[in-house]
Amino acid sequence: MKKIITIEGMSCEHCSASVKEALEKLDGVKSAKVDLKKKSATVKLSEEVADDVLKSAVSQSGFTPISVLEK
């Protein structure tokens, strides 16, 4: 399962690395790929992770999660 999180506030590679690290620490997240140009993170999941949990991880790393879409 994949989810795509739209994120505001990222402006550099350090920003995207912070978001990637925060998301990959969550239980159920296999991997996260952050795209600065698209202002998004694609998260591969090994089990269901609530959208609120994903948004909280992004917020705690200092950025604003806008939406979460399931793919």
Side-chain angles (χ1 to χ4, degrees):
M1 177 189 322
K2 284 185 186 178
K3 290 191 178 184
I4 299 174
I5 308 163
T6 304
I7 304 166
E8 288 292 328
M10 297 185 301
S11 60
C12 66
E13 291 297 323
H14 179 71
C15 296
S16 61
S18 295
V19 171
K20 176 180 170 67
E21 183 180 329
L23 290 168
E24 289 183 341
K25 284 183 181 178
L26 297 174
D27 289 337
V29 174
K30 282 197 273 188
S31 67
K33 181 180 177 188
V34 180
D35 188 322
L36 275 176
K37 289 183 183 178
K38 293 182 181 178
K39 297 182 179 181
S40 68
T42 302
V43 182
K44 289 185 182 177
L45 305 171
S46 58
E47 60 188 64
E48 178 60 35
V49 179
D51 293 353
D52 288 345
V53 173
L54 296 171
K55 286 180 173 183
S56 178
V58 172
S59 293
Q60 289 176 8
S61 58
F63 306 98
T64 306
I66 303 301
S67 64
V68 179
L69 299 173
E70 194 168 318
K71 276 244 164 175

